[in-house]
Amino acid sequence: MWSFNGAQTMAQLELNKDDQIASGVQRAIFRHPFDKTKLVKVLKSADEMPQRSNFNGRMDQLLPSTRLRQVRKEYQEYLRLMLKTEGREARIPISHMMGFVSTNLGLGCLTESVTEADGTLGKTLGELARSGSLKDEDLDLLNDAVSRIYRLNIRASDMNPKNFVLGHRWQGTALGPRECVLVDGFGDIHAIPIRSLSNWTNRLGLDDSCARLARSAKLRWDKTNRAFTRRKES
Ligand SMILES: Nc1ncnc2c1ncn2[C@@H]1O[C@H](COP(=O)(O)OP(=O)(O)O)[C@@H](O)[C@H]1O
Ligand SMILES: [Mg+2]
C-alpha cells in the first residue's frame, strides 16, 4: 500500500561551504554537488549581506521583501523571454534558470554555469577590465550579447560589469561556443516599472545602462551603433 512519507517529498541538496565559488551582494554561488553544468545560487541571510548605504542597500534592510521581489522579477523576465521566443532563440543572452531546490543552506536557485574550457568559472567583464586582460574577441562577445539584449528587448536593470560572465555554456554533454552571458540584473526591479511600459521605454533604459556600464568597465559606448569600443589612449 502507498504511504505518505514526508522525507520523500523533496530531497534536500547538501551544499558544502567550501564549494562556494563566488559571492555577490545578494547571493552566494556554489558548484552543484553532482552536475557540473549547473550552479546553485543561495540567497544570503540579512546578516551575511554587506551593509550598503545606497538606496538598494537601505531598501534591503528596511524591507526584506524587496530581495524576494528581485528574484521574482528575474524569473518573470526569464519566463517572458522563453515564452516570447518559444525556445527558438538558440543562445539567449541571459543565463537559463532551472527552478528552485531546497538546500541545507537555504533555498537554492538552479542556473547554468558559464565556464572556461578547463572547468574553471568564467571571469566577469569587471575582472577582465580591472586586470587589463579584456581581449578584442571578448569585446566582440560583449557587443554580440548587447545586440541580442536590444533585439529581444530584455529588461535589464542592473547591467554592471560583475553581472556579465565570459565563457562557455553546456549544450548537452559538450561545451557550446564562447560567449558573454548576463547572469544577473535582468528583470524590471524599479519601483515604477517604466521599462516594462513599452519596448521603446525599455530601449531608452538600455541606452542609459550601457552608458553606465561603459563608464565602470573603462570602455566607450557608441550610442549610434550601439556598440562598446575601447577608449582612445590620452
Ligand atoms: N551562471 C554563472 N556562471 C558563472 N559565474 C556566475 C554565474 N552566475 C553568477 N556567477 C558569478 O557569481 C557572482 C555573483 O552572482 P550574482 O548572480 O551576480 O549574485 P548577486 O545577485 O548577489 O549579485 C557573479 O559576479 C559571477 O562572478
Ligand atoms: Mg550580481
Side-chain angles (χ1 to χ4, degrees), residues 183-196:
V183 298
D184 176 31
F186 42 91
D188 194 351
I189 57 165
H190 299 297
I192 302 169
I194 299 213
R195 290 180 179 223
S196 304

PDB file of all heavy atoms in Angstrom, residues 183-196:
ATOM      1  N   VAL A 183      24.354  37.211 -16.284  1.00  0.00           N
ATOM      2  CA  VAL A 183      23.955  36.160 -15.326  1.00  0.00           C
ATOM      3  C   VAL A 183      23.081  36.700 -14.196  1.00  0.00           C
ATOM      4  O   VAL A 183      22.623  35.936 -13.353  1.00  0.00           O
ATOM      5  CB  VAL A 183      25.195  35.451 -14.719  1.00  0.00           C
ATOM      6  CG1 VAL A 183      26.014  34.755 -15.795  1.00  0.00           C
ATOM      7  CG2 VAL A 183      26.055  36.413 -13.901  1.00  0.00           C
ATOM      8  N   ASP A 184      22.878  37.995 -14.149  1.00  0.00           N
ATOM      9  CA  ASP A 184      22.130  38.603 -13.043  1.00  0.00           C
ATOM     10  C   ASP A 184      21.723  39.999 -13.513  1.00  0.00           C
ATOM     11  O   ASP A 184      22.250  40.513 -14.489  1.00  0.00           O
ATOM     12  CB  ASP A 184      23.073  38.696 -11.825  1.00  0.00           C
ATOM     13  CG  ASP A 184      22.448  39.408 -10.642  1.00  0.00           C
ATOM     14  OD1 ASP A 184      21.220  39.326 -10.473  1.00  0.00           O
ATOM     15  OD2 ASP A 184      23.200  40.050  -9.869  1.00  0.00           O
ATOM     16  N   GLY A 185      20.779  40.618 -12.816  1.00  0.00           N
ATOM     17  CA  GLY A 185      20.439  42.013 -13.131  1.00  0.00           C
ATOM     18  C   GLY A 185      19.421  42.168 -14.221  1.00  0.00           C
ATOM     19  O   GLY A 185      19.248  43.253 -14.762  1.00  0.00           O
ATOM     20  N   PHE A 186      18.739  41.072 -14.593  1.00  0.00           N
ATOM     21  CA  PHE A 186      17.647  41.256 -15.566  1.00  0.00           C
ATOM     22  C   PHE A 186      16.318  41.211 -14.824  1.00  0.00           C
ATOM     23  O   PHE A 186      16.209  40.689 -13.727  1.00  0.00           O
ATOM     24  CB  PHE A 186      17.706  40.227 -16.704  1.00  0.00           C
ATOM     25  CG  PHE A 186      18.031  38.822 -16.300  1.00  0.00           C
ATOM     26  CD1 PHE A 186      17.025  37.928 -15.977  1.00  0.00           C
ATOM     27  CD2 PHE A 186      19.344  38.390 -16.234  1.00  0.00           C
ATOM     28  CE1 PHE A 186      17.312  36.621 -15.608  1.00  0.00           C
ATOM     29  CE2 PHE A 186      19.653  37.096 -15.857  1.00  0.00           C
ATOM     30  CZ  PHE A 186      18.639  36.205 -15.542  1.00  0.00           C
ATOM     31  N   GLY A 187      15.313  41.774 -15.465  1.00  0.00           N
ATOM     32  CA  GLY A 187      14.015  41.936 -14.784  1.00  0.00           C
ATOM     33  C   GLY A 187      13.854  43.399 -14.409  1.00  0.00           C
ATOM     34  O   GLY A 187      14.843  44.066 -14.082  1.00  0.00           O
ATOM     35  N   ASP A 188      12.613  43.878 -14.472  1.00  0.00           N
ATOM     36  CA  ASP A 188      12.357  45.292 -14.193  1.00  0.00           C
ATOM     37  C   ASP A 188      12.103  45.483 -12.705  1.00  0.00           C
ATOM     38  O   ASP A 188      10.978  45.355 -12.232  1.00  0.00           O
ATOM     39  CB  ASP A 188      11.137  45.730 -15.016  1.00  0.00           C
ATOM     40  CG  ASP A 188      11.002  47.240 -15.048  1.00  0.00           C
ATOM     41  OD1 ASP A 188      11.737  47.922 -14.301  1.00  0.00           O
ATOM     42  OD2 ASP A 188      10.172  47.723 -15.824  1.00  0.00           O
ATOM     43  N   ILE A 189      13.186  45.762 -11.954  1.00  0.00           N
ATOM     44  CA  ILE A 189      13.074  45.796 -10.499  1.00  0.00           C
ATOM     45  C   ILE A 189      12.678  47.176  -9.967  1.00  0.00           C
ATOM     46  O   ILE A 189      12.517  47.355  -8.774  1.00  0.00           O
ATOM     47  CB  ILE A 189      14.404  45.380  -9.816  1.00  0.00           C
ATOM     48  CG1 ILE A 189      15.534  46.280 -10.268  1.00  0.00           C
ATOM     49  CG2 ILE A 189      14.707  43.928 -10.063  1.00  0.00           C
ATOM     50  CD1 ILE A 189      16.767  46.196  -9.400  1.00  0.00           C
ATOM     51  N   HIS A 190      12.539  48.155 -10.875  1.00  0.00           N
ATOM     52  CA  HIS A 190      12.281  49.507 -10.385  1.00  0.00           C
ATOM     53  C   HIS A 190      10.898  49.641  -9.764  1.00  0.00           C
ATOM     54  O   HIS A 190       9.964  48.936 -10.149  1.00  0.00           O
ATOM     55  CB  HIS A 190      12.466  50.512 -11.521  1.00  0.00           C
ATOM     56  CG  HIS A 190      13.861  50.494 -12.053  1.00  0.00           C
ATOM     57  ND1 HIS A 190      14.942  50.835 -11.280  1.00  0.00           N
ATOM     58  CD2 HIS A 190      14.362  50.107 -13.239  1.00  0.00           C
ATOM     59  CE1 HIS A 190      16.046  50.696 -11.984  1.00  0.00           C
ATOM     60  NE2 HIS A 190      15.728  50.235 -13.164  1.00  0.00           N
ATOM     61  N   ALA A 191      10.778  50.555  -8.803  1.00  0.00           N
ATOM     62  CA  ALA A 191       9.512  50.743  -8.099  1.00  0.00           C
ATOM     63  C   ALA A 191       8.401  51.077  -9.094  1.00  0.00           C
ATOM     64  O   ALA A 191       7.298  50.551  -9.016  1.00  0.00           O
ATOM     65  CB  ALA A 191       9.659  51.846  -7.059  1.00  0.00           C
ATOM     66  N   ILE A 192       8.741  51.966 -10.037  1.00  0.00           N
ATOM     67  CA  ILE A 192       7.780  52.246 -11.112  1.00  0.00           C
ATOM     68  C   ILE A 192       8.337  51.547 -12.368  1.00  0.00           C
ATOM     69  O   ILE A 192       9.390  51.937 -12.879  1.00  0.00           O
ATOM     70  CB  ILE A 192       7.648  53.764 -11.362  1.00  0.00           C
ATOM     71  CG1 ILE A 192       7.210  54.436 -10.061  1.00  0.00           C
ATOM     72  CG2 ILE A 192       6.659  54.044 -12.486  1.00  0.00           C
ATOM     73  CD1 ILE A 192       7.278  55.945 -10.078  1.00  0.00           C
ATOM     74  N   PRO A 193       7.677  50.492 -12.808  1.00  0.00           N
ATOM     75  CA  PRO A 193       8.266  49.660 -13.879  1.00  0.00           C
ATOM     76  C   PRO A 193       8.164  50.299 -15.260  1.00  0.00           C
ATOM     77  O   PRO A 193       7.473  49.829 -16.143  1.00  0.00           O
ATOM     78  CB  PRO A 193       7.468  48.352 -13.784  1.00  0.00           C
ATOM     79  CG  PRO A 193       6.185  48.724 -13.144  1.00  0.00           C
ATOM     80  CD  PRO A 193       6.408  49.957 -12.323  1.00  0.00           C
ATOM     81  N   ILE A 194       8.922  51.401 -15.426  1.00  0.00           N
ATOM     82  CA  ILE A 194       8.858  52.172 -16.677  1.00  0.00           C
ATOM     83  C   ILE A 194       9.330  51.336 -17.870  1.00  0.00           C
ATOM     84  O   ILE A 194       8.773  51.400 -18.951  1.00  0.00           O
ATOM     85  CB  ILE A 194       9.724  53.440 -16.533  1.00  0.00           C
ATOM     86  CG1 ILE A 194       9.145  54.264 -15.406  1.00  0.00           C
ATOM     87  CG2 ILE A 194       9.831  54.194 -17.857  1.00  0.00           C
ATOM     88  CD1 ILE A 194       9.204  55.712 -15.461  1.00  0.00           C
ATOM     89  N   ARG A 195      10.363  50.523 -17.618  1.00  0.00           N
ATOM     90  CA  ARG A 195      10.912  49.748 -18.734  1.00  0.00           C
ATOM     91  C   ARG A 195       9.898  48.773 -19.318  1.00  0.00           C
ATOM     92  O   ARG A 195       9.968  48.419 -20.489  1.00  0.00           O
ATOM     93  CB  ARG A 195      12.129  48.968 -18.269  1.00  0.00           C
ATOM     94  CG  ARG A 195      13.284  49.903 -17.999  1.00  0.00           C
ATOM     95  CD  ARG A 195      14.472  49.130 -17.535  1.00  0.00           C
ATOM     96  NE  ARG A 195      15.567  50.031 -17.311  1.00  0.00           N
ATOM     97  CZ  ARG A 195      16.807  49.789 -17.676  1.00  0.00           C
ATOM     98  NH1 ARG A 195      17.112  48.666 -18.272  1.00  0.00           N
ATOM     99  NH2 ARG A 195      17.745  50.653 -17.423  1.00  0.00           N
ATOM    100  N   SER A 196       8.988  48.327 -18.460  1.00  0.00           N
ATOM    101  CA  SER A 196       8.011  47.343 -18.944  1.00  0.00           C
ATOM    102  C   SER A 196       6.856  47.995 -19.696  1.00  0.00           C
ATOM    103  O   SER A 196       6.033  47.298 -20.277  1.00  0.00           O
ATOM    104  CB  SER A 196       7.457  46.531 -17.772  1.00  0.00           C
ATOM    105  OG  SER A 196       8.528  45.937 -17.078  1.00  0.00           O
TER     106      SER A 196
END
